[in-house]
Amino acid sequence: IVPNERIVSTEVYEGMPEGEALNTVTFTEVDGRTTLTILVQHTSKEHRDAHIDSGMEAGMQDAMDLLEQVAISLR
């Protein structure tokens, strides 16, 4: 963890425990606005595809939509 800048974590997808992913969340502020960037890195295309096929993409989009609503409410 780098405060106010980056969080790096390891994620294990239960459907493919050997398909561990490295997640890097980066926060970049410009002119008082923060951009959130999430990078999910897998060790192989097979593991990446299994993770995507699990439905995680839709779940992640739902989570980001909720986070956006929280951010809007803080204005």
Side-chain angles (χ1 to χ4, degrees), residues 7-46:
I7 299 171
V8 179
S9 64
T10 302
E11 177 180 357
V12 177
Y13 167 50
E14 289 181 12
M16 185 175 278
E18 70 281 0
E20 162 178 301
L22 180 67
N23 299 323
T24 303
V25 180
T26 305
F27 304 92
T28 308
E29 184 179 346
V30 176
D31 296 329
R33 295 183 62 124
T34 301
T35 299
L36 169 70
T37 304
I38 301 172
L39 175 63
V40 180
Q41 295 174 285
H42 288 274
T43 56
S44 73
K45 182 180 182 303
E46 175 190 16

Side-chain angles (χ1 to χ4, degrees), residues 2-3 12 17 19-20 25 36 41 48 51 53 57 61 64-66 68-69 71-72:
V2 178
V12 177
E20 162 178 301
V25 180
L36 169 70
Q41 295 174 285
R48 181 205 65 192
H51 199 170
D53 291 343
E57 187 174 5
Q61 186 59 60
M64 292 298 105
D65 291 343
L66 291 170
E68 179 180 28
Q69 291 306 311
I72 289 169

